Structure formats: structure tokens, C-alpha cells
Coordinates of all heavy atoms in Angstrom, one line a residue:
W1 N 6.0 6.3 -11.6 CA 5.4 7.4 -10.9 C 6.5 8.0 -10.1 O 7.5 7.3 -9.7 CB 4.1 7.2 -10.3 CG 4.3 6.5 -8.9 CD1 4.6 7.0 -7.7 CD2 4.3 5.1 -8.7 NE1 4.8 6.1 -6.8 CE2 4.5 4.8 -7.2 CE3 4.2 3.9 -9.4 CZ2 4.6 3.7 -6.7 CZ3 4.3 2.6 -8.9 CH2 4.5 2.6 -7.5
S2 N 6.3 9.3 -9.6 CA 7.1 9.9 -8.7 C 6.3 10.7 -7.7 O 5.1 11.1 -8.0 CB 8.1 10.9 -9.3 OG 7.4 11.9 -10.0
G3 N 6.8 11.0 -6.6 CA 6.0 11.8 -5.6 C 5.3 10.8 -4.6 O 5.4 9.6 -4.8
P4 N 4.8 11.4 -3.6 CA 4.2 10.6 -2.5 C 3.0 9.8 -3.0 O 2.1 10.4 -3.7 CB 3.8 11.7 -1.5 CG 3.6 12.9 -2.2 CD 4.6 12.9 -3.4
T5 N 2.9 8.5 -2.7 CA 1.7 7.7 -3.1 C 1.3 6.9 -1.8 O 2.1 6.3 -1.2 CB 2.2 6.8 -4.1 OG1 2.8 7.5 -5.3 CG2 1.0 5.9 -4.6
V6 N 0.0 6.9 -1.7 CA -0.6 6.2 -0.6 C -1.5 5.1 -1.3 O -2.4 5.4 -2.1 CB -1.5 6.9 0.3 CG1 -2.2 6.2 1.3 CG2 -0.6 8.1 1.1
A7 N -1.2 3.9 -1.2 CA -2.0 2.8 -1.8 C -2.8 2.1 -0.6 O -2.1 1.7 0.4 CB -1.0 1.7 -2.4
I8 N -4.1 1.9 -0.9 CA -5.0 1.5 0.0 C -5.2 0.1 -0.2 O -5.9 -0.1 -1.4 CB -6.2 2.5 0.2 CG1 -5.7 3.9 0.6 CG2 -7.2 1.9 1.2 CD1 -6.9 4.8 0.5
A9 N -5.1 -0.8 0.8 CA -5.3 -2.3 0.4 C -5.1 -2.7 -0.9 O -5.8 -3.2 -1.7 CB -6.8 -2.4 0.9
P10 N -3.9 -2.7 -1.3 CA -3.4 -3.1 -2.7 C -3.8 -4.5 -3.0 O -3.3 -5.3 -2.1 CB -2.0 -2.7 -2.8 CG -1.5 -2.7 -1.4 CD -2.5 -2.3 -0.6
A11 N -4.4 -4.7 -4.0 CA -4.8 -6.1 -4.3 C -3.9 -6.8 -5.4 O -4.2 -7.8 -5.9 CB -6.2 -6.1 -4.9
L12 N -2.7 -6.2 -5.6 CA -1.8 -6.8 -6.6 C -1.5 -8.4 -6.4 O -1.7 -9.0 -7.3 CB -0.5 -6.1 -6.5 CG -0.5 -4.6 -7.0 CD1 0.9 -3.9 -6.7 CD2 -0.7 -4.6 -8.5
H13 N -1.2 -8.6 -5.2 CA -0.9 -10.1 -4.9 C -2.0 -11.0 -5.2 O -1.9 -12.0 -5.7 CB -0.3 -10.2 -3.3 CG 0.2 -11.3 -3.0 ND1 -0.4 -12.5 -2.6 CD2 1.6 -11.7 -3.0 CE1 0.5 -13.6 -2.2 NE2 1.7 -13.0 -2.6
R14 N -3.2 -10.5 -4.7 CA -4.4 -11.4 -4.9 C -4.7 -11.5 -6.3 O -5.1 -12.6 -6.9 CB -5.6 -10.7 -4.2 CG -6.8 -11.5 -4.4 CD -8.0 -11.2 -3.6 NE -8.4 -12.2 -2.9 CZ -9.4 -12.3 -1.9 NH1 -9.9 -11.3 -1.7 NH2 -9.7 -13.4 -1.4
V15 N -4.7 -10.3 -7.2 CA -5.1 -10.5 -8.5 C -4.1 -11.3 -9.3 O -4.5 -12.2 -10.2 CB -5.0 -9.0 -9.2 CG1 -5.0 -9.0 -10.7 CG2 -6.1 -8.1 -8.6
L16 N -2.8 -11.2 -9.0 CA -1.7 -12.0 -9.7 C -1.9 -13.5 -9.2 O -1.9 -14.3 -10.2 CB -0.5 -11.6 -9.5 CG 0.1 -10.4 -10.1 CD1 1.4 -9.8 -9.7 CD2 0.1 -10.4 -11.6
R17 N -2.3 -13.8 -8.1 CA -2.4 -15.0 -7.5 C -3.8 -15.7 -8.2 O -3.7 -16.9 -8.7 CB -2.6 -15.2 -6.0 CG -2.8 -16.6 -5.4 CD -3.1 -16.5 -4.0 NE -4.3 -15.9 -3.6 CZ -4.6 -15.0 -2.8 NH1 -3.7 -14.7 -2.1 NH2 -5.9 -14.5 -2.7
D18 N -4.8 -15.0 -8.2 CA -6.1 -15.5 -8.8 C -6.0 -15.7 -10.2 O -6.7 -16.5 -10.8 CB -7.2 -14.6 -8.4 CG -7.6 -14.6 -6.9 OD1 -7.0 -15.5 -6.2 OD2 -8.3 -13.8 -6.5
S19 N -5.1 -14.9 -10.9 CA -5.0 -15.1 -12.4 C -4.0 -16.2 -12.8 O -3.8 -16.5 -13.9 CB -4.5 -13.8 -13.0 OG -3.1 -13.6 -12.7
G20 N -3.3 -16.8 -11.7 CA -2.4 -17.9 -12.0 C -1.0 -17.3 -12.4 O -0.1 -18.1 -12.8
E21 N -0.9 -15.9 -12.4 CA 0.4 -15.4 -12.9 C 1.3 -14.9 -11.8 O 2.4 -14.3 -12.0 CB 0.1 -14.1 -13.8 CG -0.6 -14.7 -15.1 CD -0.5 -13.6 -16.1 OE1 0.3 -12.7 -16.1 OE2 -1.5 -13.7 -17.0
L22 N 1.0 -15.4 -10.5 CA 1.8 -14.8 -9.4 C 3.2 -15.1 -9.4 O 4.0 -14.4 -9.3 CB 1.2 -15.3 -8.0 CG 1.9 -15.0 -6.7 CD1 1.9 -13.4 -6.7 CD2 1.3 -15.6 -5.6
K23 N 3.5 -16.4 -9.7 CA 5.0 -16.9 -9.7 C 5.7 -16.2 -10.9 O 7.0 -16.2 -10.9 CB 5.1 -18.4 -9.7 CG 4.5 -19.1 -10.9 CD 4.6 -20.6 -10.7 CE 4.0 -21.4 -11.8 NZ 4.0 -22.8 -11.6
Y24 N 5.0 -15.8 -12.0 CA 5.7 -15.3 -13.1 C 5.9 -13.8 -13.1 O 6.8 -13.2 -13.5 CB 4.8 -15.6 -14.3 CG 4.6 -17.1 -14.5 CD1 3.4 -17.6 -14.4 CD2 5.7 -18.0 -14.9 CE1 3.3 -19.0 -14.4 CE2 5.4 -19.3 -15.0 CZ 4.2 -19.9 -14.8 OH 4.0 -21.2 -14.8
K25 N 4.9 -13.2 -12.4 CA 4.8 -11.6 -12.5 C 5.3 -10.9 -11.1 O 5.6 -9.8 -11.2 CB 3.4 -11.2 -12.8 CG 2.9 -11.6 -14.2 CD 3.5 -10.8 -15.2 CE 2.7 -11.2 -16.5 NZ 3.4 -10.3 -17.6
W26 N 5.2 -11.7 -10.1 CA 5.6 -11.0 -8.8 C 6.9 -10.5 -8.7 O 7.0 -9.4 -8.1 CB 5.3 -11.9 -7.6 CG 5.3 -11.3 -6.3 CD1 6.2 -11.5 -5.2 CD2 4.4 -10.4 -5.9 NE1 5.9 -10.7 -4.2 CE2 4.8 -9.9 -4.5 CE3 3.3 -9.7 -6.4 CZ2 4.1 -9.1 -3.8 CZ3 2.5 -8.8 -5.6 CH2 2.9 -8.5 -4.3
A27 N 7.9 -11.0 -9.2 CA 9.1 -10.4 -9.2 C 9.3 -9.0 -9.9 O 9.8 -8.2 -9.5 CB 10.2 -11.5 -9.7
E28 N 8.5 -9.1 -11.1 CA 8.4 -7.8 -11.8 C 7.8 -6.7 -11.1 O 8.2 -5.6 -11.1 CB 7.7 -8.0 -13.2 CG 7.7 -6.9 -14.1 CD 6.9 -7.2 -15.4 OE1 6.7 -8.4 -15.8 OE2 6.4 -6.2 -16.0
V29 N 6.7 -7.1 -10.4 CA 5.9 -6.1 -9.6 C 6.8 -5.6 -8.5 O 6.9 -4.4 -8.4 CB 4.7 -6.7 -9.0 CG1 4.1 -5.8 -8.1 CG2 3.7 -7.1 -10.1
E30 N 7.5 -6.4 -7.8 CA 8.4 -6.0 -6.7 C 9.5 -5.1 -7.3 O 9.8 -4.1 -6.7 CB 9.1 -7.3 -6.1 CG 8.1 -8.1 -5.2 CD 8.8 -9.2 -4.6 OE1 10.0 -9.4 -5.0 OE2 8.2 -9.9 -3.7
Q31 N 10.1 -5.4 -8.4 CA 11.2 -4.7 -9.0 C 10.8 -3.2 -9.3 O 11.4 -2.2 -8.9 CB 11.8 -5.3 -10.1 CG 12.9 -4.6 -10.7 CD 13.4 -5.3 -12.0 OE1 13.0 -6.3 -12.6 NE2 14.7 -4.8 -12.4
R32 N 9.5 -3.2 -9.9 CA 9.0 -1.8 -10.3 C 8.7 -1.0 -9.1 O 9.0 0.2 -9.1 CB 7.8 -2.0 -11.2 CG 8.2 -2.4 -12.6 CD 7.0 -2.7 -13.6 NE 7.5 -3.2 -14.8 CZ 6.9 -2.8 -16.0 NH1 5.9 -2.1 -15.9 NH2 7.3 -3.3 -17.1
L33 N 8.1 -1.5 -8.2 CA 7.6 -0.8 -7.0 C 8.7 -0.5 -6.1 O 8.7 0.6 -5.5 CB 6.4 -1.6 -6.2 CG 5.2 -1.7 -6.8 CD1 4.2 -2.7 -6.0 CD2 4.6 -0.3 -7.1
A34 N 9.8 -1.3 -6.0 CA 10.9 -1.0 -5.2 C 11.5 0.2 -5.5 O 12.2 1.0 -4.7 CB 11.8 -2.2 -5.2
A35 N 11.5 0.7 -6.9 CA 12.2 1.8 -7.3 C 11.6 3.0 -6.8 O 12.3 4.2 -6.6 CB 12.2 1.9 -8.8
S36 N 10.3 3.0 -6.3 CA 9.6 4.2 -5.7 C 9.2 3.9 -4.3 O 8.4 4.6 -3.8 CB 8.3 4.3 -6.6 OG 8.7 4.8 -7.9
A37 N 9.7 2.9 -3.7 CA 9.3 2.6 -2.3 C 9.6 3.7 -1.4 O 8.9 3.9 -0.3 CB 10.0 1.2 -1.9
H38 N 10.7 4.5 -1.6 CA 10.9 5.6 -0.6 C 9.7 6.7 -0.5 O 9.6 7.3 0.5 CB 12.1 6.4 -1.1 CG 11.9 7.1 -2.5 ND1 12.0 6.3 -3.6 CD2 11.8 8.3 -2.8 CE1 11.8 7.2 -4.7 NE2 11.6 8.5 -4.1
C39 N 8.8 6.7 -1.5 CA 7.7 7.5 -1.3 C 6.3 6.9 -1.4 O 5.3 7.4 -1.7 CB 7.7 8.7 -2.6 SG 7.8 8.0 -4.2
L40 N 6.4 5.6 -1.2 CA 5.1 4.7 -1.2 C 4.9 4.3 0.3 O 5.7 3.9 1.1 CB 5.3 3.5 -2.0 CG 4.1 2.5 -2.0 CD1 2.9 3.1 -2.6 CD2 4.6 1.2 -2.8
T41 N 3.6 4.6 0.6 CA 2.9 4.0 1.9 C 1.7 3.2 1.5 O 0.8 3.6 0.9 CB 2.5 5.3 2.7 OG1 3.6 6.1 2.9 CG2 2.0 4.8 4.0
L42 N 1.8 2.0 2.2 CA 0.7 1.2 2.0 C -0.3 1.3 3.2 O 0.2 1.5 4.3 CB 1.1 -0.3 1.8 CG 2.0 -0.9 0.8 CD1 2.3 -2.1 0.9 CD2 1.4 -0.4 -0.6
V43 N -1.5 1.4 3.1 CA -2.5 1.5 4.2 C -3.5 0.4 4.0 O -3.9 0.1 3.0 CB -3.3 2.9 4.1 CG1 -4.2 2.9 5.2 CG2 -2.2 4.0 4.0
H44 N -3.6 -0.4 5.1 CA -4.4 -1.5 5.1 C -5.3 -1.7 6.4 O -4.6 -1.5 7.5 CB -3.5 -2.8 4.8 CG -4.4 -3.8 4.2 ND1 -3.9 -4.4 2.9 CD2 -5.3 -4.5 4.5 CE1 -4.7 -5.4 2.6 NE2 -5.7 -5.5 3.5
G45 N -6.5 -2.0 6.3 CA -7.3 -2.3 7.5 C -6.9 -3.5 8.1 O -6.8 -4.5 7.4
A46 N -6.7 -3.6 9.3 CA -6.3 -4.9 10.0 C -7.5 -5.9 10.0 O -7.3 -7.0 10.2 CB -5.9 -4.6 11.5
A47 N -8.8 -5.3 10.0 CA -9.9 -6.2 10.0 C -10.4 -6.5 8.5 O -11.6 -6.8 8.3 CB -10.9 -5.7 10.7
D48 N -9.5 -6.3 7.5 CA -9.9 -6.4 6.1 C -10.4 -7.8 5.8 O -9.4 -8.6 5.8 CB -9.0 -5.8 5.2 CG -9.3 -5.8 3.6 OD1 -10.4 -6.5 3.3 OD2 -8.8 -4.9 3.0
N49 N -11.5 -8.2 5.5 CA -11.9 -9.6 5.0 C -12.0 -9.7 3.5 O -12.2 -10.8 3.1 CB -13.3 -9.9 5.5 CG -13.3 -9.9 7.1 OD1 -12.4 -10.4 7.7 ND2 -14.4 -9.5 7.7
T50 N -11.7 -8.7 2.7 CA -11.7 -8.8 1.3 C -10.2 -9.2 0.7 O -10.0 -10.0 0.0 CB -12.2 -7.6 0.7 OG1 -13.6 -7.4 1.2 CG2 -12.3 -7.6 -0.9
I51 N -9.3 -8.3 1.1 CA -7.9 -8.4 0.8 C -7.1 -8.7 2.2 O -7.1 -7.7 2.9 CB -7.3 -7.3 0.1 CG1 -8.2 -6.9 -1.2 CG2 -5.9 -7.5 -0.2 CD1 -8.0 -7.9 -2.2
P52 N -6.6 -9.9 2.3 CA -5.9 -10.1 3.7 C -4.7 -9.1 3.9 O -4.0 -8.8 2.9 CB -5.4 -11.5 3.5 CG -6.2 -12.1 2.4 CD -6.6 -11.0 1.5
I53 N -4.6 -8.6 5.0 CA -3.6 -7.6 5.4 C -2.2 -8.3 5.2 O -1.1 -7.7 4.9 CB -3.6 -7.1 6.8 CG1 -2.7 -6.0 7.0 CG2 -3.4 -8.3 7.9 CD1 -2.8 -5.1 8.2
A54 N -2.0 -9.6 5.1 CA -0.9 -10.4 4.8 C -0.4 -10.1 3.5 O 0.8 -10.1 3.3 CB -1.2 -11.9 5.1
D55 N -1.4 -9.8 2.5 CA -0.9 -9.4 1.1 C 0.0 -8.1 1.2 O 1.0 -8.0 0.6 CB -2.1 -9.3 0.3 CG -2.7 -10.5 -0.1 OD1 -2.3 -11.6 0.4 OD2 -3.6 -10.4 -1.1
S56 N -0.5 -7.1 2.0 CA 0.3 -5.9 2.1 C 1.5 -6.0 2.9 O 2.6 -5.4 2.6 CB -0.6 -4.8 2.8 OG -1.5 -4.3 1.9
E57 N 1.5 -6.9 3.9 CA 2.7 -7.1 4.6 C 3.8 -7.8 3.8 O 4.9 -7.5 4.0 CB 2.4 -8.1 5.9 CG 1.5 -7.5 6.9 CD 0.9 -8.4 7.9 OE1 0.9 -9.6 7.7 OE2 0.5 -7.8 9.0
T58 N 3.4 -8.7 3.0 CA 4.2 -9.3 2.0 C 5.0 -8.3 1.1 O 6.2 -8.3 0.8 CB 3.6 -10.4 1.3 OG1 3.1 -11.5 2.0 CG2 4.5 -11.1 0.2
L59 N 4.0 -7.5 0.4 CA 4.5 -6.5 -0.5 C 5.4 -5.5 0.2 O 6.5 -5.2 -0.3 CB 3.3 -5.8 -1.1 CG 3.6 -4.6 -2.1 CD1 4.4 -5.2 -3.2 CD2 2.4 -4.2 -2.6
A60 N 5.1 -5.0 1.4 CA 5.8 -4.0 2.1 C 7.2 -4.6 2.5 O 8.2 -3.9 2.3 CB 5.1 -3.5 3.4
A61 N 7.2 -5.8 2.9 CA 8.6 -6.4 3.2 C 9.4 -6.7 2.1 O 10.5 -6.5 2.1 CB 8.3 -7.7 4.0
A62 N 8.8 -6.9 0.9 CA 9.6 -7.3 -0.3 C 10.3 -6.0 -0.8 O 11.3 -6.0 -1.3 CB 8.6 -8.0 -1.3
I63 N 9.4 -4.9 -0.8 CA 9.9 -3.6 -1.4 C 10.4 -2.7 -0.4 O 11.0 -1.6 -0.8 CB 8.9 -3.0 -2.4 CG1 7.7 -2.5 -1.6 CG2 8.5 -4.1 -3.5 CD1 6.8 -1.7 -2.4
H64 N 10.5 -3.0 0.9 CA 10.9 -2.1 1.8 C 10.2 -0.7 2.0 O 10.9 0.3 1.9 CB 12.5 -2.0 1.8 CG 13.2 -3.2 1.8 ND1 13.3 -4.0 2.7 CD2 13.8 -3.8 0.6 CE1 14.0 -5.1 2.4 NE2 14.2 -5.0 1.1
C65 N 8.9 -0.7 1.9 CA 8.2 0.4 2.1 C 7.4 0.5 3.5 O 7.3 -0.6 4.1 CB 7.2 0.7 0.9 SG 5.8 -0.2 0.8
E66 N 6.8 1.7 3.6 CA 6.1 1.8 5.0 C 4.7 1.1 4.8 O 4.1 1.3 3.8 CB 5.9 3.2 5.2 CG 5.2 3.4 6.6 CD 5.0 5.0 6.9 OE1 5.2 5.7 6.2 OE2 4.7 5.2 8.1
L67 N 4.3 0.4 5.8 CA 2.9 -0.2 5.9 C 2.2 0.5 7.1 O 2.7 0.2 8.3 CB 2.9 -1.7 6.0 CG 1.5 -2.4 6.3 CD1 0.6 -2.0 5.2 CD2 1.8 -3.9 6.4
V68 N 1.1 1.1 6.9 CA 0.3 1.6 8.1 C -0.8 0.6 8.2 O -1.7 0.5 7.4 CB -0.2 2.9 7.8 CG1 -1.1 3.5 8.9 CG2 1.0 4.0 7.6
R69 N -1.0 0.0 9.5 CA -2.1 -0.9 9.7 C -3.2 0.0 10.5 O -2.8 0.7 11.4 CB -1.7 -2.0 10.6 CG -0.6 -3.0 9.9 CD 0.0 -4.0 11.0 NE 0.9 -4.8 10.3 CZ 2.1 -4.5 10.2 NH1 2.6 -3.3 10.5 NH2 3.0 -5.4 9.5
V70 N -4.4 -0.1 10.0 CA -5.5 0.6 10.6 C -6.2 -0.4 11.4 O -6.9 -1.2 11.0 CB -6.3 1.4 9.6 CG1 -7.5 2.1 10.3 CG2 -5.6 2.3 8.7
D71 N -5.9 -0.2 12.7 CA -6.6 -1.2 13.8 C -8.1 -1.2 13.5 O -8.5 0.1 13.6 CB -6.2 -0.9 15.1 CG -4.7 -1.2 15.4 OD1 -4.1 -2.1 14.7 OD2 -4.2 -0.6 16.3
G72 N -8.6 -2.3 13.4 CA -10.1 -2.3 13.2 C -10.6 -1.9 11.9 O -11.8 -1.9 11.7
G73 N -9.8 -1.5 11.0 CA -10.2 -1.0 9.6 C -10.7 -2.1 8.8 O -10.0 -3.2 8.7
D74 N -11.8 -2.0 8.2 CA -12.3 -3.0 7.1 C -11.8 -2.6 5.8 O -10.9 -1.8 5.7 CB -13.9 -3.0 7.2 CG -14.4 -1.6 6.8 OD1 -13.7 -0.8 6.4 OD2 -15.7 -1.5 6.8
H75 N -12.3 -3.4 4.8 CA -11.6 -3.2 3.4 C -11.8 -1.7 2.9 O -11.0 -1.1 2.3 CB -12.4 -4.1 2.4 CG -11.8 -4.1 1.1 ND1 -10.5 -4.3 0.7 CD2 -12.4 -3.6 0.0 CE1 -10.3 -4.3 -0.5 NE2 -11.5 -3.7 -1.1
G76 N -13.0 -1.0 3.3 CA -13.1 0.3 2.9 C -12.5 1.4 3.7 O -12.8 2.6 3.5
L77 N -11.9 0.9 4.9 CA -11.4 1.9 5.9 C -12.5 3.0 6.2 O -12.1 4.2 6.4 CB -10.2 2.5 5.3 CG -9.0 1.5 5.0 CD1 -7.8 2.2 4.5 CD2 -8.6 1.0 6.4
N78 N -13.8 2.5 6.3 CA -14.8 3.5 6.6 C -14.6 4.4 7.8 O -14.8 5.6 7.8 CB -16.1 2.8 6.6 CG -16.6 2.2 5.3 OD1 -16.4 2.8 4.3 ND2 -17.0 0.9 5.3
D79 N -14.2 3.7 9.0 CA -14.0 4.6 10.1 C -12.9 5.4 10.0 O -12.9 6.6 10.4 CB -13.7 3.6 11.2 CG -14.9 2.7 11.9 OD1 -16.1 3.2 11.5 OD2 -14.7 1.7 12.5
A80 N -11.8 5.0 9.3 CA -10.6 5.8 9.1 C -11.0 7.1 8.2 O -10.4 8.1 8.3 CB -9.4 5.1 8.5
L81 N -11.8 6.9 7.2 CA -12.3 8.0 6.5 C -13.2 8.9 7.2 O -13.1 10.1 7.1 CB -13.1 7.5 5.2 CG -12.2 6.7 4.1 CD1 -13.1 6.0 3.1 CD2 -11.3 7.8 3.5
L82 N -14.1 8.3 8.0 CA -15.0 9.2 8.7 C -14.4 10.1 9.7 O -14.8 11.2 10.0 CB -16.1 8.4 9.3 CG -17.1 7.7 8.2 CD1 -18.1 6.8 8.9 CD2 -17.9 8.7 7.5
N83 N -13.5 9.6 10.5 CA -12.8 10.3 11.6 C -11.6 11.1 11.2 O -11.0 11.6 11.9 CB -12.6 9.4 12.8 CG -11.4 8.4 12.6 OD1 -10.6 8.6 11.8 ND2 -11.5 7.3 13.4
G84 N -11.2 11.0 9.9 CA -10.2 11.9 9.2 C -8.9 11.3 9.4 O -7.9 12.0 9.0
R85 N -8.7 10.0 9.9 CA -7.3 9.5 10.0 C -6.7 9.3 8.8 O -5.5 9.6 8.5 CB -7.4 8.1 10.8 CG -7.6 8.3 12.3 CD -7.5 6.9 13.0 NE -8.4 6.0 12.6 CZ -8.4 4.8 12.7 NH1 -7.5 4.2 13.5 NH2 -9.4 4.0 12.4
L86 N -7.4 8.9 7.8 CA -6.9 8.6 6.4 C -6.4 9.9 5.7 O -5.4 10.1 5.2 CB -7.9 7.9 5.5 CG -7.3 7.3 4.2 CD1 -6.1 6.5 4.4 CD2 -8.3 6.5 3.4
R87 N -7.2 10.9 5.8 CA -6.8 12.3 5.3 C -5.6 12.7 6.0 O -4.7 13.3 5.3 CB -8.0 13.3 5.5 CG -7.8 14.5 4.9 CD -8.7 15.7 5.2 NE -8.4 16.9 4.6 CZ -7.6 17.8 5.0 NH1 -6.8 17.5 5.9 NH2 -7.3 18.9 4.4
E88 N -5.5 12.6 7.2 CA -4.5 13.1 8.0 C -3.2 12.4 7.6 O -2.1 13.1 7.4 CB -4.6 12.8 9.5 CG -3.7 13.5 10.5 CD -4.1 13.2 11.9 OE1 -5.2 13.6 12.3 OE2 -3.3 12.5 12.5
L89 N -3.2 11.1 7.3 CA -2.0 10.4 6.9 C -1.5 10.7 5.5 O -0.4 11.0 5.3 CB -2.5 8.9 6.8 CG -1.4 8.0 6.2 CD1 -0.2 7.7 7.2 CD2 -2.0 6.6 5.8
V90 N -2.5 11.0 4.6 CA -2.2 11.4 3.2 C -1.5 12.7 3.4 O -0.4 13.0 2.7 CB -3.4 11.4 2.3 CG1 -3.0 12.2 1.0 CG2 -3.9 10.0 2.1
V91 N -2.1 13.7 4.1 CA -1.4 15.1 4.2 C -0.1 15.0 4.9 O 0.9 15.7 4.4 CB -2.4 16.0 5.2 CG1 -1.6 17.3 5.6 CG2 -3.7 16.3 4.2
Q92 N 0.1 14.2 5.9 CA 1.4 14.0 6.6 C 2.5 13.4 5.6 O 3.6 14.0 5.5 CB 1.4 13.0 7.7 CG 0.8 13.6 8.9 CD 0.5 12.5 10.0 OE1 0.8 11.3 9.8 NE2 0.0 12.8 11.2
R93 N 2.1 12.5 4.8 CA 3.0 11.9 3.8 C 3.5 13.0 2.7 O 4.6 13.0 2.3 CB 2.4 10.6 3.2 CG 2.3 9.4 4.1 CD 3.5 9.2 5.0 NE 3.3 8.0 5.8 CZ 2.9 8.1 7.1 NH1 2.5 9.2 7.6 NH2 2.8 7.1 7.8
Y94 N 2.4 13.7 2.3 CA 2.7 14.6 1.3 C 3.7 15.8 1.9 O 4.6 16.2 1.2 CB 1.4 15.4 0.8 CG 1.6 16.5 -0.2 CD1 1.9 16.1 -1.6 CD2 1.5 17.8 0.2 CE1 2.2 17.0 -2.5 CE2 1.7 18.7 -0.8 CZ 2.0 18.5 -2.2 OH 2.3 19.3 -3.1
E95 N 3.4 16.3 3.0 CA 4.2 17.2 3.6 C 5.6 16.8 3.9 O 6.5 17.5 3.6 CB 3.6 17.7 5.0 CG 2.3 18.6 4.7 CD 1.6 19.0 6.0 OE1 2.0 18.5 7.0 OE2 0.7 19.9 5.8
A96 N 5.7 15.5 4.3 CA 7.1 15.1 4.5 C 7.8 14.8 3.1 O 9.0 15.2 3.1 CB 7.0 13.6 5.2
Y97 N 7.1 14.4 2.2 CA 7.8 14.4 0.7 C 8.1 15.9 0.3 O 9.2 16.0 -0.2 CB 6.8 13.9 -0.3 CG 7.3 13.6 -1.5 CD1 8.3 12.8 -1.9 CD2 7.0 14.6 -2.6 CE1 8.8 12.7 -3.2 CE2 7.6 14.7 -3.9 CZ 8.5 13.6 -4.1 OH 9.0 13.7 -5.4
Q98 N 7.3 16.7 0.3 CA 7.7 18.1 0.0 C 8.9 18.6 0.8 O 9.8 19.2 0.2 CB 6.5 19.1 0.3 CG 5.3 18.9 -0.6 CD 5.6 19.3 -2.0 OE1 6.0 18.3 -2.9 NE2 5.5 20.5 -2.3
A99 N 8.9 18.5 2.1 CA 10.0 18.9 2.9 C 11.4 18.1 2.5 O 12.4 18.8 2.4 CB 9.8 18.6 4.4
S100 N 11.3 16.9 2.0 CA 12.4 16.2 1.5 C 13.0 16.6 0.3 O 14.1 16.3 0.0 CB 12.2 14.7 1.7 OG 11.4 14.3 0.5
T101 N 12.2 17.3 -0.6 CA 12.7 17.7 -1.9 C 13.1 19.1 -2.0 O 13.4 19.6 -3.0 CB 11.5 17.5 -2.9 OG1 10.3 18.2 -2.6 CG2 11.2 15.9 -2.9
M102 N 13.0 19.8 -0.9 CA 13.4 21.2 -0.8 C 15.0 21.4 -0.7 O 15.6 20.6 -0.1 CB 12.7 22.0 0.2 CG 11.2 22.2 -0.1 SD 10.4 23.1 1.2 CE 8.9 23.5 0.2

């Protein structure tokens, strides 16, 4: 893919771990995502009980992309959606990407 991308609570690490393929596939996932890390922003609720924020921290560190932690955010980021923080973040990332390609 190309262009700005916001991934919300990505479950890649958990899916691969639960399928038993983490040690075989994680390097491939990192390599593919690293190529687009410059336009990737991970968003994760700090209070997510479904997908641990540590999964996004691991991914962000591995591929050197931005991680936005939503304080108090649950798995659905309901508060962030309701008060407009998530929309604002997506618009900011898109506008920054547009400015960088001009």
C-alpha cells in the first residue's frame, strides 16, 4: 500500500502467536510493514483488554513507525471516536502526508 495509513489496535502479533506461526512469520510481517512505516501510524488504547498495547509497542519499535497511545482508550476506542480525537488524528496524518508529497 501507499499513502497515509492509520492502523487501530493491530492484532497481527496476537493472530500469529495464537496460530503458532509467530516465530516463522513475524520477520516477514516486519519487513513488509517497515517499507511503508513512514506513512503508518498505529493507534492503540492504553486500556485495551482485548489486544495488549504491548503488541503495538513491539510492532512500532520493530518497524520504526509512530504509535499513538490513547490514554484510557479501550479496544473499541469508543471515547476517542465519540469526542472526535480519532477523526482529528486521521485528518492530521492525511494532511501531513499530502503536504509531504507536494
Side-chain angles (χ1 to χ4, degrees):
W1 79 85
S2 65
T5 303
V6 174
I8 300 172
L12 292 168
H13 195 267
R14 174 175 239 177
V15 168
L16 291 173
R17 183 187 65 227
D18 291 352
S19 71
E21 296 192 24
L22 181 62
K23 64 183 174 184
Y24 305 108
K25 300 282 184 178
W26 190 245
E28 179 182 340
V29 168
E30 286 179 354
Q31 183 179 8
R32 289 180 182 215
L33 291 176
S36 298
H38 65 282
C39 60
L40 176 63
T41 301
L42 303 179
V43 180
H44 207 120
D48 187 339
N49 291 322
T50 304
I51 304 295
I53 193 168
D55 287 5
S56 286
E57 292 168 341
T58 298
L59 179 58
I63 66 172
H64 308 289
C65 77
E66 180 180 17
L67 171 61
V68 175
R69 293 169 184 83
V70 178
D71 291 333
D74 61 5
H75 183 66
L77 293 173
N78 294 319
D79 290 341
L81 287 169
L82 291 175
N83 69 21
R85 284 189 296 169
L86 192 55
R87 181 187 184 286
E88 189 176 302
L89 172 72
V90 171
V91 169
Q92 287 173 353
R93 296 311 182 268
Y94 178 76
E95 288 174 347
Y97 177 78
Q98 288 294 94
S100 73
T101 60
M102 292 185 163

